[in-house]
Amino acid sequence: LFLATPDSLAKDAIVAAAEEWLVDAALLEISYASDLISPSSTLLSKGVSADSQLTVSLLRWIKKEILTDTSIREKIGKLIEKGSFGPDRVLSLDTPTFADDAGCVDFRKELIPEGVFSICFANPSPSVTSTAPYFLSDSSVTNIDLLGLQSITSVGNKFLSGSRSLKAVDLSCLRNVSSIGDSFLTGCSLIQSVDLGAFEKVTCVNHYFLSECSCLETISNISGLRNAKSIGRSFLGYSSITSIDLSVFTQLESISDAFLYTCKRLENIDVGAFTKVTRIDDHFLSFCFSLKTISNISGLVNVESIGAPFLFACKCLTPIDASVQGYECLSKELKGALERKFKK
């Protein structure tokens, strides 16, 4: 635990409290925030007192030792409520405190005090290099500041996934990220727009990227994914986008199943940039009920295999104005798909 100053709380009192909570006092590592926290600390500059470091340490202790003990977590939660937040109840966290020796930040929803919906990860540090799986997954946060994560290069699986109260997230500070795990922001059903400009170092877009974001209408700076060579399952599936600029995917080689699956408001698409794509898996653009046109289908000239069904249940799609003759590896499956689609 961090004590704000050597005389702020007696060590004996902390040990006594630990014994009362049936916690082995030997688990406690007590030091003083005044010795460890610089006066120029981001936390202090935000008006959070040194005493608030007690909160950070308690949270860290919960994470490492007693996360599964509900009664202890509730008692510590009461301590957390005492003077740990600004007037708008933003929980400001010293990011390196939650990183392990390898620089991986692990912060779960169980660590959020009751009644807190805004979190700021402060104090960016080069020592912080990644986020662990389930980072704030299924949490109730409505606002989050990721500034303290600006040095990370890897994002673990289920980053903020299932955060159904999250209305927006600024990803611009994640410019060093080169690897993103599965289910990135999956199921964030209130997010309406997202800017992907920071992800220029990403070469593989993994499964369920921004899938099930039912209110998502706008994708800004999708050019940030220009270096992607593969796209995983259910890319932007179940979103509310009406259009998407695919011209940036000139390096793309493979597309996993359910690409833009059930994007019911998507009206037009241009696949002219897909000249390096050799494989398209099942359910490409399936259930895009409003899809009317597919432009530059000749961009699929190097595709060797297409999964079935292809363009399934695209009710508004008109016959593609392009010949597939000569596409030796492609024509049979593509024609078959279209025949099934347009058969009266």
Side-chain angles (χ1 to χ4, degrees):
L1 302 180
F2 290 166
L3 304 185
T5 57
D7 60 352
S8 62
L9 287 172
K11 179 177 179 179
D12 290 345
I14 290 293
V15 172
E19 291 174 349
E20 178 188 348
W21 296 343
L22 303 179
V23 176
D24 185 355
L27 293 175
L28 300 179
E29 180 180 344
I30 299 179
S31 54
Y32 300 106
S34 56
D35 297 330
L36 302 176
I37 305 300
S38 165
S40 60
S41 163
T42 303
L43 282 172
L44 300 183
S45 67
K46 287 179 175 292
V48 180
S49 70
D51 290 298
S52 296
Q53 293 309 309
L54 178 61
T55 295
V56 174
S57 302
L58 285 167
L59 287 171
R60 189 176 188 183
W61 182 42
I62 295 171
K63 181 186 76 172
K64 288 188 173 181
E65 307 293 351
I66 58 172
L67 186 58
T68 59
D69 192 317
T70 303
S71 63
I72 294 177
R73 190 165 66 241
E74 289 175 352
K75 291 178 179 179
I76 289 181
K78 292 178 181 178
L79 286 179
I80 289 172
E81 291 174 1
K82 297 178 180 178
S84 304
F85 312 96
D88 53 356
R89 288 189 65 78
V90 175
L91 178 60
S92 188
L93 301 172
D94 180 41
T95 307
T97 298
F98 295 91
D100 60 19
D101 293 340
C104 181
V105 176
D106 188 0
F107 196 87
R108 308 287 183 93
K109 67 176 183 177
E110 291 87 353
L111 300 181
I112 304 174
E114 184 178 355
V116 172
F117 302 102
S118 297
I119 297 180
C120 171
F121 284 89
N123 281 9
S125 169
S127 65
V128 176
T129 58
S130 63
T131 60
Y134 299 95
F135 182 88
L136 282 176
S137 177
D138 297 315
S139 72
S140 298
V141 294
T142 58
N143 298 285
I144 187 167
D145 185 339
L146 300 174
L147 178 63
L149 302 179
Q150 66 183 33
S151 61
I152 66 171
T153 59
S154 176
V155 175
N157 293 342
K158 294 186 177 293
F159 181 86
L160 290 171
S161 69
S163 296
R164 301 188 184 279
S165 298
L166 187 64
K167 299 176 182 178
V169 58
D170 182 357
L171 304 173
S172 62
C173 62
L174 303 183
R175 295 192 176 279
N176 290 306
V177 169
S178 58
S179 173
I180 300 176
D182 292 349
S183 301
F184 178 80
L185 291 174
T186 297
C188 294
S189 53
L190 292 185
I191 289 181
Q192 296 183 6
S193 64
V194 67
D195 190 318
L196 302 178
F199 294 146
E200 294 183 357
K201 296 182 179 180
V202 173
T203 58
C204 176
V205 180
N206 279 317
H207 300 316
Y208 306 109
F209 183 87
L210 286 168
S211 182
E212 298 181 36
C213 295
S214 55
C215 289
L216 182 62
E217 298 178 344
T218 306
I219 308 290
S220 301
N221 293 320
I222 196 171
S223 58
L225 297 177
R226 67 166 63 92
N227 293 311
K229 293 184 178 181
S230 63
I231 289 180
R233 181 180 306 117
S234 195
F235 176 76
L236 294 174
Y238 301 96
S239 70
S240 293
I241 58 173
T242 58
S243 63
I244 183 171
D245 181 8
L246 299 179
S247 65
V248 304
F249 290 112
T250 57
Q251 303 303 311
L252 195 60
E253 298 174 358
S254 65
I255 300 173
S256 291
D257 53 292
F259 179 80
L260 297 175
Y261 185 81
T262 315
C263 291
K264 297 179 180 180
R265 299 180 60 192
L266 184 64
E267 296 183 355
N268 306 289
I269 197 169
D270 189 321
V271 296
F274 287 1
T275 55
K276 290 187 177 181
V277 173
T278 59
R279 191 192 86 239
I280 295 175
D281 288 345
D282 298 352
H283 279 294
F284 179 79
L285 292 171
S286 288
F287 297 99
C288 292
F289 297 138
S290 299
L291 187 65
K292 297 177 181 178
T293 59
I294 299 178
S295 303
N296 294 319
I297 197 170
S298 58
L300 303 180
V301 64
N302 289 312
V303 171
E304 297 174 357
S305 67
I306 291 180
F310 176 79
L311 302 174
F312 184 75
C314 295
K315 299 178 180 179
C316 296
L317 187 64
T318 55
I320 296 175
D321 186 18
S323 171
V324 294
Q325 296 298 324
Y327 294 6
E328 295 179 1
C329 299
L330 168 64
S331 59
K332 182 177 180 180
E333 290 191 62
L334 178 59
K335 282 184 176 180
L338 294 178
E339 286 168 2
R340 290 194 298 274
K341 163 65 188 68
F342 296 112
K343 185 176 180 180
K344 299 296 185 183

